[in-house]
């Protein structure tokens, strides 16, 4: 279905989303950990940026083994963050300003400290036993106990943890403290629906759904023959996934609520369309991972990988065309709490090119077809952690557990290579505290001990220096978001077409509305000047961080400055 045939119009297509990682956003107490009152104190900053939806990473009660993605109670707030009344106040403050609040729903798994799991592990006949996935051991020829299959967890090791109390293994696709719920059990799904309604009835506007495509497993639990993340082929989009998503979608539609599903490890594109096509009634949009995997090596995330601009173009064009032609919808993102900073990953974070790189990424992302997601700090151009930080500064369980596998058994050269990959790709890069100003600890906390070290570059990169500066990265993001909405028929509901696809320095694309109005987005990804031929004459300059006017675009060939971006009406 081409956009020219008419896209379904929805409020969430016309919105933009700002993601907050609560522990790292704003501390209001001096404890060193961000909290809900801190977020409440910054709602006017979010309004000034121009976003319409605020998504909070998990705020629920949790032992924090995986930074809140291990939930022990879905209706209580993690005490250091505040309580339910703070959520109500935040929701009301956002609603007063015309914004919406979205929560992170993590229900593929719980914490092992959840009362459901505490009951489940007590005995095989406990009423909560089949709320989780339990299996008996296998035994080899020598009588040694073995896990039920060879699946590997996302945070290293087997997905199976032996529990002596009942002499069985339970399934955990992530760490052993995150046992997977058994969605085959109708009582589990009823409880999921109850949790959703609890928050929707309080006025929450929707959910981001964590690894939602993992909730249905092949009930035969067969061995895997994959070498990287074995087992994913048996639970990433399992046999009953869309049945479960339709049940969720029915509830969301009752409330006209927003939803975005995280869907990693999927290799059949039709699964995405089944989840988000307008006539399916499942989810609003999904996060795919192809752009996030572009720099992964043959042995996974922490092995060296390389990419060319043509790779980025091919992936972007694929997803733009795929969603437009199938009446689906893209969640547009370059950063989140699980990914490194986009400037460091896709562009140039050195002092000379950092600001231009950040502004380029704003236009590159914001004018594509889909709903743009901005992760905290992205709007001011925050970067990866410094290269000279030691391993003691890294907190992320994914990175730390990976390091433990090698630190005592591997040669020095390999260890240095791993440290290089951690600095490039660790989730810690996104989790350093928000850089508010140039005061101690970047204004994130009044205390002396932030839960994670603040990036050393906060005196140069901070919000206070940018919000009133018309030439700042922050103001560029505001301009992009405003322009996107001012030309909605082009940038939200228009078609997408790559321009000069073979060029390895310039990423250009054209957006065309149903009435023929069109815009051109030009992004020079190179840290050098590039001559580029305009495909047609520009009629109006919409966004130009370099301050170009139409007079600068009179010639057939233009000279693009390093990392320059430019958006024009044709």
């Amino acid at each position: 279905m081409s956009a020219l045939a008419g896209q379904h119009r929805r409020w969430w297509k016309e919105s933009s989303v700002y993601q907050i990682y609560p522990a790292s956003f704003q501390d209001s107490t001096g404890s060193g950990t961000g909290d809900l009152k801190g977020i409440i104190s910054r709602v006017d900053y979010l309004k000034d940026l121009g976003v319409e939806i605020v998504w909070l990473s998990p705020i629920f009660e949790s032992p924090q083994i995986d930074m809140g993605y291990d939930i022990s109670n879905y209706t209580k707030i993690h005490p250091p963050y505040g309580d339910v009344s703070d959520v109500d106040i935040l929701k009301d403050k956002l609603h007063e300003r015309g914004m919406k609040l979205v929560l992170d729903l993590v229900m593929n798994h719980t914490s092992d400290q959840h009362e459901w799991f505490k009951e489940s592990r007590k005995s095989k006949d406990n009423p909560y036993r089949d709320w989780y996935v339990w299996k008996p051991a296998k035994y080899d020829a020598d009588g040694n106990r073995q896990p039920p299959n060879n699946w590997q967890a996302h945070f290293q090791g087997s997905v199976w943890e032996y529990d002596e109390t009942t002499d069985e293994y339970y399934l955990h696709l992530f760490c052993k403290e995150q046992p997977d719920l058994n969605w085959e059990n109708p009582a589990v799904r009823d409880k999921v629906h109850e949790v959703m309604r609890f928050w929707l009835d309080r006025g929450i506007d929707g959910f981001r759904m964590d690894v939602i495509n993992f909730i249905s497993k092949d009930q035969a639990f067969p061995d895997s023959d994959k070498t990287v993340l074995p087992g994913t082929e048996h639970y990433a989009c399992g046999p009953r996934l869309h049945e479960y998503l339709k049940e969720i979608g029915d509830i969301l539609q009752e409330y006209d609520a927003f939803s975005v599903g995280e869907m990693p490890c999927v290799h059949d594109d039709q699964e995405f369309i089944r989840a988000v096509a307008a006539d399916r009634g499942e989810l609003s949009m999904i996060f795919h991972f192809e752009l996030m995997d572009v720099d992964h090596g043959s042995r996974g995330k922490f092995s060296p990988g390389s990419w060319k601009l043509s790779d980025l173009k091919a992936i972007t064009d694929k997803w733009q065309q795929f969603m437009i032609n199938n009446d689906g919808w893209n969640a547009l993102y370059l950063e989140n709490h699980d990914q490194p900073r986009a400037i460091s990953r896709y562009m140039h974070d050195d002092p000379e090119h950092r600001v231009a790189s950040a502004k380029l990424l704003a236009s590159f992302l914001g004018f594509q077809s889909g709903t743009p997601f901005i992760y905290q700090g992205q709007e001011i151009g925050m970067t990866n952690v410094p290269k000279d930080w030691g391993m003691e500064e890294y907190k992320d369980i994914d990175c730390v557990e990976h390091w433990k596998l090698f630190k005592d058994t591997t040669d020095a050269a390999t260890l240095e290579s791993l440290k290089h990959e951690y600095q490039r790709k660790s989730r810690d890069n996104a989790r350093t505290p928000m850089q508010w100003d140039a005061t101690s600890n970047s204004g994130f906390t009044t205390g002396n001990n932030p839960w994670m070290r603040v990036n050393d570059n906060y005196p140069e990169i901070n919000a206070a220096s940018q919000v009133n500066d018309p030439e700042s990265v922050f103001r560029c993001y505001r301009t992009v978001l405003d322009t996107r909405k001012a030309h909605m028929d082009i940038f939200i509901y228009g078609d997408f077409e790559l321009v000069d696809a073979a060029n390895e320095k310039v990423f250009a694309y054209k957006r065309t509305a149903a009435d023929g109005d069109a815009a051109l987005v030009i992004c020079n990804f190179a840290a050098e000047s590039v001559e580029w031929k305009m495909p047609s004459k520009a009629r109006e300059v919409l966004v130009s961080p370099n301050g170009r006017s139409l007079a600068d675009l009179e010639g057939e060939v233009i000279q693009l400055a390093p990392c320059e971006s430019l958006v024009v009406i044709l």
Side-chain angles (χ1 to χ4, degrees):
M1 177 181 183
S2 167
L4 300 183
Q7 284 268 358
H8 290 82
R9 298 193 173 225
R10 297 288 187 272
W11 67 265
W12 36 263
K13 292 184 177 182
E14 298 167 10
S15 300
S16 53
V17 184
Y18 188 91
Q19 182 191 355
I20 288 176
Y21 195 69
S24 296
F25 192 64
Q26 179 69 72
D27 171 20
S28 72
T29 66
S31 68
T33 299
D35 50 55
L36 288 165
K37 285 184 171 64
I39 297 170
I40 292 166
S41 74
R42 297 291 187 177
V43 293
D44 286 329
Y45 172 85
L46 302 173
K47 179 65 175 177
D48 192 23
L49 180 59
V51 294
E52 291 87 7
I53 299 171
V54 176
W55 152 33
L56 304 184
S57 286
I59 55 173
F60 307 118
E61 192 175 85
S62 166
Q64 298 290 314
I65 299 297
D66 185 24
M67 290 304 297
Y69 284 88
D70 50 319
I71 294 172
S72 55
N73 191 310
Y74 290 95
T75 57
K76 291 185 178 180
I77 305 305
H78 186 52
Y81 293 162
D83 57 33
V84 173
S85 67
D86 293 318
V87 180
D88 291 338
I89 292 169
L90 175 60
K91 172 212 44 172
D92 291 342
K93 295 284 187 184
L94 291 171
H95 285 179
E96 288 166 8
R97 290 160 176 77
M99 294 186 284
K100 297 180 182 291
L101 180 60
V102 165
L103 300 182
D104 217 315
L105 193 68
V106 187
M107 298 201 79
N108 172 71
H109 48 265
T110 70
S111 165
D112 64 350
Q113 298 305 303
H114 199 296
E115 289 301 321
W116 305 339
F117 189 71
K118 288 181 179 180
E119 289 294 319
S120 183
R121 73 192 314 175
K122 284 180 178 178
S123 67
K124 292 181 181 178
D125 58 1
N126 188 283
Y128 284 90
R129 183 66 171 183
D130 63 352
W131 281 49
Y132 296 85
V133 181
W134 293 91
K135 295 292 177 186
K138 288 184 176 179
Y139 290 89
D140 63 21
D142 298 323
N144 297 312
R145 187 182 69 236
Q146 301 292 331
N149 64 27
N150 68 347
W151 298 3
Q152 292 291 300
H154 290 257
F155 296 158
Q156 319 307 322
S158 172
V159 300
W160 299 101
E161 181 71 10
Y162 179 69
D163 197 61
E164 288 188 358
T165 304
T166 58
D167 189 32
E168 285 194 336
Y169 286 83
Y170 65 84
L171 179 73
H172 60 92
L173 297 183
F174 293 89
C175 66
K176 69 180 189 303
E177 295 89 354
Q178 292 171 295
D180 278 47
L181 284 164
N182 176 22
W183 281 62
E184 296 284 324
N185 183 346
V188 169
R189 302 202 303 280
D190 287 345
K191 182 57 69 172
V192 172
H193 304 158
E194 181 184 313
V195 169
M196 291 176 63
R197 291 186 185 278
F198 174 86
W199 290 108
L200 292 168
D201 287 340
R202 293 189 81 92
I204 298 304
D205 300 293
F207 303 100
R208 178 263 189 185
M209 298 182 177
D210 188 64
V211 294
I212 196 64
N213 61 310
F214 290 179
I215 57 179
S216 172
K217 283 84 171 173
D218 182 340
Q219 292 301 290
F221 292 94
D223 276 341
S224 172
D225 57 9
K226 290 171 66 74
T227 55
V228 177
L229 284 176
T232 51
E233 72 272 35
H234 300 303
Y235 61 77
C237 300
R240 299 183 68 185
L241 172 64
H242 297 287
E243 173 191 343
Y244 301 157
L245 290 183
K246 184 65 170 66
E247 292 174 353
I248 289 171
D250 288 345
I251 296 171
L252 293 166
Q253 289 192 17
E254 285 181 40
Y255 295 83
D256 190 25
F258 169 94
S259 61
V260 56
E262 182 191 34
M263 292 184 64
C265 306
V266 180
H267 305 290
D268 178 359
D269 294 341
Q270 291 304 312
E271 290 287 358
F272 292 109
I273 284 299
R274 293 183 189 109
V276 301
D279 61 353
R280 293 281 297 180
E282 296 184 14
L283 303 176
S284 307
M285 62 193 80
I286 54 89
F287 292 126
H288 72 78
F289 281 75
E290 285 196 45
L291 284 176
M292 302 301 107
D293 295 345
V294 72
D295 56 359
H296 291 192
S298 60
R299 289 173 285 111
K301 178 169 78 170
F302 294 132
S303 61
S306 61
W307 58 277
K308 304 185 300 296
L309 190 61
S310 53
D311 299 327
L312 203 66
K313 290 183 180 185
I315 295 168
T316 301
D317 186 53
K318 167 191 165 179
W319 285 98
Q320 290 288 291
Q321 305 296 347
F322 185 62
M323 288 298 184
I324 290 172
N325 294 334
N326 290 281
D327 203 13
W329 197 247
N330 279 298
L332 304 170
Y333 75 107
L334 294 174
E335 293 187 19
N336 63 30
H337 62 290
D338 283 338
Q339 302 298 332
R341 292 293 181 174
I343 300 173
S344 302
R345 185 179 217 170
Y346 302 108
M347 288 296 296
H348 312 281
D349 63 5
D350 59 287
E352 182 181 355
H353 300 108
R354 174 181 54 77
V355 171
S357 291
K359 293 176 179 179
L360 178 148
L361 290 174
S363 287
F364 167 73
L365 183 76
F367 292 119
Q368 293 178 35
S369 172
T371 296
F373 284 69
I374 300 168
Y375 179 70
Q376 65 182 48
Q378 182 177 344
E379 77 282 5
I380 59 171
M382 284 177 62
T383 64
N384 277 4
V385 302
K387 293 177 181 178
D388 61 359
W389 278 17
M391 287 305 300
E392 71 278 2
E393 302 291 354
Y394 289 79
K395 310 293 186 186
D396 170 34
I397 188 172
D398 187 20
C399 177
V400 171
E401 291 299 311
H402 190 271
W403 177 246
K404 286 179 183 177
L405 292 178
F406 297 96
K407 66 184 182 72
D408 297 323
T409 60
T410 308
D411 62 89
T414 301
L415 292 180
E416 284 305 308
S417 175
L418 287 173
K419 289 179 182 178
H420 176 72
E421 295 302 312
Y422 298 150
Q423 191 274 334
R424 292 179 60 211
K425 303 172 188 174
S426 170
R427 303 191 301 181
D428 290 301
N429 287 299
R431 299 178 180 187
T432 57
M434 178 67 181
Q435 295 167 206
W436 290 109
D437 57 42
T439 64
S440 176
N441 288 315
S442 73
F444 162 68
T445 179
T446 56
N448 297 319
N449 297 297
W451 80 272
M452 186 175 184
R453 180 174 168 180
V454 179
N455 195 312
D456 301 351
N457 60 19
Y458 75 85
E460 295 79 43
I461 304 172
N462 61 74
S465 67
Q466 296 191 29
V467 289
N468 295 317
D469 177 2
E471 303 301 318
S472 68
V473 177
F474 180 92
R475 284 293 153 200
C476 181
Y477 267 92
R478 175 65 194 247
T479 299
V480 167
L481 296 178
D482 286 348
T483 304
R484 174 180 178 268
K485 295 198 77 169
H487 298 271
M488 195 178 298
D489 289 345
I490 296 175
F491 293 121
I492 299 178
Y493 296 111
D495 270 345
F496 177 96
E497 178 187 356
L498 276 183
V499 176
D500 193 12
N503 196 311
E504 289 289 357
K505 295 180 179 178
V506 177
F507 193 131
Y509 61 88
K510 182 180 178 182
R511 302 297 312 281
T512 306
D515 64 3
D517 285 349
L520 181 66
V521 180
I522 308 163
C523 300
N524 177 17
F525 273 69
E528 60 188 40
S529 296
V530 175
E531 283 192 348
W532 195 72
K533 183 178 179 181
M534 290 284 287
S536 54
K537 191 174 179 64
R539 294 191 294 114
E540 180 184 355
V541 176
L542 294 180
V543 181
S544 175
N546 290 48
R548 286 188 184 265
S549 66
L550 276 179
D552 300 320
L553 306 175
E554 286 295 328
E556 186 178 343
V557 176
I558 59 173
Q559 187 82 17
L560 295 170
C563 308
E564 181 179 359
S565 51
L566 176 65
V567 184
V568 299
I569 293 287
L570 298 177

